[in-house]
Amino acid sequence: MTEASARFHRSVAEALADPHLRQALDRTTGRLAGGLAKAFATIPDAGALRDTARRIRAHTIAHLDQHLDQFERAATARGCHVHWAPTAADATRLVVDIARARGVSLAVKSKSMVTEEIELNAALGAAGVRVVESDLGEFVVQLADDRPSHIIAPIVHMSRDDVARLFEDKLGARPDEVADIPAITAFARRTLRQEFLQAGMGISGVNLAVADTGSLCLVTNEGNGRLTTTLPRVHVAVMGLERIVPTAADLGVVLQLLARSATGQALSVYTNIITGPRRPATSDGPGEPDGPDELHIVVVDNGRSRLLGGELAEILYCVRCGACLNICPVYHHIGGHAYGGVYPGPVGSVVSPGLMGLDEWSELPHASSLCGACRDVCPVRIDLPRLLLNLRAQTVAARMGPAWLRIAMPLYAAIATRPVLYRWLGSLAARLSRMMGHDGWLDRLPGPLSAWTTERDFPVPAPRSFVQEHHAHAPRAGGCE
Amino acid sequence: MTRPTRVQLFVTCLVDRFYPSVGHAVVAVLERQGLDVSVPMDQTCCGQPAFNGGFTDDARRMARHTVDVLSASPDPVVVPSGSCADMIVHRYPELLADDAAYAARARDLAARTFEFTQFLVDVLHVSPAAEPDGPRLAYHASCHGLRGLGLVEQPRQLLRAVAGDRCTDLPGAGICCGFGGLFAVKLAGISAAMLASKIEAIAESGADAVVATDVSCLMHIGGGLHRRGSRVRPLHVAEILAGTRHD
Ligand code: SF4
């Protein structure tokens, strides 16, 4: 087993042994999944809307280069600076350079998964720029020196008490200042307000960018996104290469699904559409009163374009709603951290190996029972099980995974395509296991199969198989019609 | 499709080796419908363990074998497992799409393959008689049947006809029991945790038996129940319909 595999299995075991985590996950994922079901019940033909959204995403990804070109032209015409970052290192360097050139020492940031992916905070920190997370969840994560465990609800693994204690320890909050969630929120807001006023740079992600207008769409449920993108003099928006829709009408379709799938809302509380930086006064008019002087858009590839045209390209349709996490029974039991990467859950099990290769991430595609609940819930109908299967096949082709299985499976296939041998060996195995079983059950299986019997018994095979009995005209099961 | 007079039974490797009584129950139910049921001798495993494990070539080998075995006759194929039926219906045509000798036959087989309850309800329009007494049943909706084949109503309709109010859905009926084939061994801890949740739901339901369309789930759930000394029995829907377990 590689070091990466061992690490994964260790973190899974730790997560499973944590009853506190399980409770926290039960609470939030259940609520989010329930909210989704209710929110979808309010649109007359949700299925058709999903089909439309899928078509939009599929079309966009199939012609991504054209849409990105169009976006760059439109955004530039609106006064934005568009930067291309082939790798995570390129992306962080670009942002650091922008900060340095403008003498920025403090940046506020709204929630963004792609900046987690490229580890932007660490890069800016190393360059002497302090970054303050302004989304409440991310603020808590940063304060606790933790990692987000969900793409929408970063502190789904924590309880309210955990946060209250953290604020007391790290920020010196009094008990009455963290007595309940509104108090906690108000306390965080007071703490953050000062930072907003002093920050020289606001950093945000991008939920979706509109190709034909050059606009950026950001959805949040806290006002922080709005402050981040309007108050500081410089706004840097970091977006994954694939986060684009052709037109504003397309954006409308996807947004309806995004809000419902993410949080069960018909529309997120704040849906911001940003087109260019603040427009200065001209002879035609007074200009805009607020907004940044500069708007930089950093478009991050970091492995995405490698997926284009391939069998995993479908994962680029993803709008990062998190619904597949909330519905996933595996996520439900192990939470986000166990997945190791920035993107947990079914989507993460495709994205992490997809973007970063299988060497470090070969276990994730196997960490699924392939129940298909994620495919059913995905607003853009990504066939996640199929993508996981594709990655599994890649791991086998690369001779990754347990050695015993690489021997056992071809052997099984060889036997199963030789019916006489299959029947004979089946009967032999039945006889042997009957000698080891009690009352029709085995409480220990040999070798790697013993993992089954750690927590469940295994039935002893029947002395004669059904096919053998049937063909021997054994007494048929009676009915009582 | 018009009502056939003959069917072939692809019984699945798990029924064949571990639950022959389920196979007999399926035959009994189908014969009671006046069908001539044949059981091709050389059937083995549909190849799903290999396919789901990423062993595509091995899966393809088993798929070809099964296509051969089930194409000797043009009769429809009944499979008492949503998961294996889904494999034949949806995966075989893809797996063998580029195989000149098999692609057409795989598509033909897919088009005449049915999961057991789907066949009873959608093709035969069976409405079984009510049984006044019997165990209280809780239905677990196996994943691949539910989401792959869309088996939402068929099994429930049959169970309700037989057991009426004695049959309810398990709380969270459509949540995976954690079996997932090799997943149960490779990630045994997660699988066992999912099973524990399923067993909590079974206990909560107060049922005497948990019923499903797939013995794979029942083997997993049954193994967990037995380890815990539970008296709740795992039953295949065919066993309810054949009356073989109405003791
Ligand atoms: S894969 Fe689908 S359900 Fe999962 S986060 Fe992406 S869009 Fe949402």
Side-chain angles (χ1 to χ4, degrees):
Chain A
M1 191 182 281
T2 64
E3 175 48 35
S5 300
R7 210 181 317 125
F8 173 70
H9 285 277
R10 263 199 314 275
S11 51
V12 166
E14 277 165 26
L16 288 171
D18 183 351
H20 180 72
L21 173 68
R22 178 63 204 289
Q23 271 169 14
L25 288 168
D26 265 349
R27 224 176 11 245
T28 313
T29 55
R31 182 169 52 77
L32 289 172
L36 177 149
K38 274 203 212 88
F40 270 92
T42 62
I43 26 183
D45 197 349
L49 196 63
R50 282 193 163 133
D51 291 338
T52 310
R54 180 181 169 86
R55 264 200 306 279
I56 293 169
R57 294 298 291 144
H59 170 87
T60 311
I61 298 303
H63 307 281
L64 190 58
D65 48 349
Q66 291 166 25
H67 290 113
L68 285 170
D69 281 349
Q70 193 188 14
F71 173 73
E72 181 179 23
R73 278 196 305 276
T76 309
R78 294 297 195 143
C80 304
H81 305 272
V82 180
H83 311 266
W84 300 94
T87 66
D90 295 324
T92 54
R93 192 176 32 73
L94 277 162
V95 182
V96 166
D97 287 350
I98 296 168
R100 279 219 177 104
R102 282 141 194 92
V104 171
S105 59
L106 173 65
V108 282
K109 183 156 154 277
S110 66
K111 187 172 153 30
S112 138
M113 294 310 295
V114 69
T115 56
E116 296 282 342
E117 176 189 323
I118 63 174
E119 299 182 0
L120 182 59
N121 288 8
L124 282 168
V129 181
R130 191 163 68 87
V131 183
V132 177
E133 293 287 349
S134 66
D135 170 85
L136 180 57
E138 295 288 351
F139 177 69
V140 170
V141 165
Q142 189 179 35
L143 206 57
D145 202 10
D146 200 352
R147 288 183 298 130
S149 72
H150 188 291
I151 61 182
I152 297 295
I155 49 170
V156 59
H157 58 289
M158 295 173 88
S159 69
R160 190 186 68 196
D161 289 346
D162 294 336
V163 177
R165 232 166 301 132
L166 182 74
F167 279 17
E168 288 173 357
D169 288 355
K170 298 264 173 134
L171 299 173
R174 292 190 314 270
D176 63 295
E177 288 176 312
V178 290
D180 53 18
I181 290 175
I184 290 174
T185 313
F187 184 83
R189 184 173 293 140
R190 281 197 300 280
T191 312
L192 282 168
R193 196 51 59 118
Q194 275 315 308
E195 311 276 22
F196 274 118
L197 294 171
Q198 285 158 16
M201 180 187 266
I203 302 169
S204 75
V206 174
N207 289 90
L208 291 159
V210 183
D212 69 348
T213 61
S215 309
L216 305 176
C217 176
L218 261 83
V219 296
T220 69
N221 281 309
E222 300 167 18
N224 69 311
R226 230 162 238 195
L227 286 171
T228 304
T229 57
T230 52
L231 220 47
R233 214 177 63 71
V234 182
H235 171 200
V236 177
V238 186
M239 65 180 263
L241 186 77
E242 81 287 11
R243 296 311 198 84
I244 206 146
V245 285
T247 66
D250 298 328
L251 176 67
V253 172
V254 178
L255 279 184
Q256 289 185 59
L257 293 169
L258 178 57
R260 285 181 168 84
S261 304
T263 47
Q265 293 159 291
L267 201 61
S268 304
V269 177
Y270 297 92
T271 300
N272 308 307
I273 297 179
I274 298 168
T275 310
R278 180 169 64 85
R279 270 180 279 284
T282 59
S283 50
D284 299 338
E288 290 170 337
D290 53 18
D293 297 338
E294 294 175 39
L295 173 47
H296 297 266
I297 303 167
V298 178
V299 185
V300 180
D301 184 337
N302 203 28
R304 288 164 173 78
S305 60
R306 257 205 321 268
L307 302 179
L308 289 170
E311 302 214 42
L312 299 176
E314 196 180 339
I315 200 60
L316 298 174
Y317 304 177
C318 173
V319 294
R320 303 282 191 268
C321 71
C324 58
L325 279 60
N326 303 330
I327 203 79
C328 176
V330 172
Y331 179 87
H332 195 120
H333 283 281
I334 63 173
H337 288 158
Y339 289 81
V342 173
Y343 304 103
V347 59
S349 295
V350 177
V351 167
S352 298
L355 296 188
M356 288 169 279
L358 277 164
D359 286 345
E360 292 281 313
W361 304 98
S362 66
E363 292 291 330
L364 288 184
H366 296 272
S368 162
S369 65
L370 301 178
C371 79
C374 50
R375 178 186 51 207
D376 265 17
V377 82
C378 176
V380 287
R381 297 198 194 278
I382 297 174
D383 193 343
L384 288 152
R386 178 194 299 274
L387 302 181
L388 293 171
L389 281 164
N390 182 283
L391 284 160
R392 287 182 184 188
Q394 289 187 36
T395 64
V396 170
R399 305 182 55 75
M400 293 166 160
W404 67 270
L405 207 51
R406 288 203 301 274
I407 298 167
M409 198 54 89
L411 195 63
Y412 178 62
I415 296 167
T417 47
R418 290 171 177 78
V420 177
L421 180 65
Y422 177 85
R423 286 195 292 272
W424 186 78
L425 284 175
S427 301
L428 180 69
R431 258 206 305 284
L432 289 177
S433 43
R434 289 183 87 72
M435 281 157 44
M436 299 185 320
H438 326 270
D439 300 335
W441 292 93
L442 294 160
D443 56 13
R444 265 172 71 181
L445 286 175
L449 298 179
S450 61
W452 175 286
T453 40
T454 49
E455 294 185 50
R456 57 225 126 165
D457 294 329
F458 193 79
V460 166
R464 279 212 301 181
S465 78
F466 166 77
V467 172
Q468 287 164 325
E469 280 183 2
H470 184 86
H471 284 274
H473 298 287
R476 304 286 167 81
C480 50
E481 235 173 341
Chain B
M1 107 182 256
T2 52
R3 190 183 171 95
T5 54
R6 290 197 318 255
V7 291
Q8 310 185 70
L9 176 58
F10 181 74
V11 79
T12 78
C13 58
L14 289 182
V15 167
D16 188 38
R17 263 299 152 199
F18 291 92
Y19 304 96
S21 60
V22 171
H24 295 306
V26 170
V27 172
V29 171
L30 293 172
E31 286 184 343
R32 217 183 289 159
Q33 291 299 315
L35 294 173
D36 187 354
V37 182
S38 70
V39 178
M41 183 79 181
D42 285 347
Q43 59 179 284
T44 58
C45 164
C46 70
Q48 203 177 173
F51 182 72
N52 287 351
F55 292 81
T56 318
D57 289 340
D58 296 321
R60 209 168 271 134
R61 218 166 290 150
M62 288 189 259
R64 280 193 210 104
H65 173 76
T66 303
V67 170
D68 282 338
V69 168
L70 297 175
S71 300
S73 147
D75 293 336
V77 175
V78 174
V79 186
S81 156
S83 188
C84 307
D86 183 55
M87 178 77 188
I88 297 175
V89 170
H90 290 128
R91 306 300 192 183
Y92 276 18
E94 288 171 19
L95 265 177
L96 300 172
D98 297 328
D99 186 329
Y102 281 87
R105 287 200 294 156
R107 283 197 303 272
D108 167 68
L109 174 60
R112 58 188 165 88
T113 296
F114 302 87
E115 184 277 334
F116 175 63
T117 63
Q118 184 185 36
F119 187 72
L120 291 180
V121 173
D122 297 350
V123 179
L124 300 182
H125 309 292
V126 168
S127 45
E131 291 270 354
D133 303 306
R136 278 166 304 158
L137 310 174
Y139 177 66
H140 163 72
S142 297
C143 297
H144 293 172
L146 175 66
R147 302 189 188 90
L149 298 173
L151 299 180
V152 179
E153 274 310 308
Q154 298 92 325
R156 290 181 169 100
Q157 194 177 315
L158 294 167
L159 290 170
R160 266 200 312 269
V162 174
D165 293 345
R166 279 185 289 111
C167 182
T168 54
D169 266 15
L170 268 182
I175 298 175
C176 179
C177 74
F179 174 62
L182 283 168
F183 171 75
V185 174
K186 281 199 268 189
L187 288 148
I190 305 176
S191 165
M194 290 162 69
L195 176 60
S197 296
K198 185 56 73 178
I199 287 177
E200 275 168 36
I202 293 171
E204 202 183 306
S205 76
D208 305 307
V210 49
V211 188
T213 54
D214 286 50
V215 296
S216 48
C217 317
L218 292 170
M219 179 171 92
H220 189 232
I221 294 171
L225 289 169
H226 188 261
R227 176 62 62 93
R228 289 162 177 78
S230 164
R231 299 173 59 86
V232 178
R233 287 170 306 160
L235 290 178
H236 189 272
V237 60
E239 295 177 286
I240 305 290
L241 296 175
T244 49
R245 292 287 189 102
H246 279 211
D247 43 16

